[in-house]
Amino acid sequence: IRDEESGYNKNLFCIPKHYEEDLERVFIPHGLILDRTERLAKDIMQDMGNHHIVALCVLKGGYKFFADLLDHIKALNQNGDRSVPITVDFVRIKSYS
């Protein structure tokens, strides 16, 4: 997102009441995030070929994105012409700095 990007008017979205006063604009709509996550899953499957995928989730902040990404990868595994084995694990990091 460029610095001069103005985003979308928050009235175009269903915002939970407890966030209404805190938000001014929406910069990345949820649908766009889901679309990019699906595209990332397709890229991963294409780049990995038939190699085993080891998926590592950094808790706690990354869980929702991780789950969505794995859902897309699993769907590609089930509906595609090949199936790639996936191992899933989780790690908790005490500090990001």
Side-chain angles (χ1 to χ4, degrees):
I1 299 174
R2 296 181 303 245
D3 289 339
E4 61 275 0
E5 182 68 43
S6 62
Y8 300 89
N9 187 312
K10 71 178 183 180
N11 295 326
L12 298 172
F13 301 91
C14 295
I15 306 292
K17 270 206 178 304
H18 57 279
Y19 290 127
E20 284 179 348
E21 297 301 317
D22 297 324
L23 292 176
E24 185 178 321
R25 304 194 70 70
V26 173
F27 287 100
I28 305 173
H30 183 66
L32 181 59
I33 293 171
L34 290 177
D35 182 69
R36 296 298 300 147
T37 304
E38 183 177 4
R39 181 70 229 185
L40 180 59
K42 287 180 181 179
D43 290 346
I44 289 170
M45 290 293 287
Q46 181 179 351
D47 292 347
M48 291 303 294
N50 291 325
H51 290 82
H52 183 112
I53 295 174
V54 177
L56 182 65
C57 177
V58 178
L59 295 173
K60 297 185 179 185
Y63 172 73
K64 178 64 173 139
F65 166 76
F66 184 76
D68 289 343
L69 180 62
L70 280 183
D71 286 345
H72 289 299
I73 290 174
K74 287 178 185 177
L76 291 168
N77 253 346
Q78 292 172 351
N79 301 323
D81 54 348
R82 63 190 166 94
S83 183
V84 177
I86 301 173
T87 301
V88 176
D89 210 346
F90 299 86
V91 63
R92 193 163 145 188
I93 297 177
K94 196 170 192 173
S95 174
Y96 289 101
S97 57

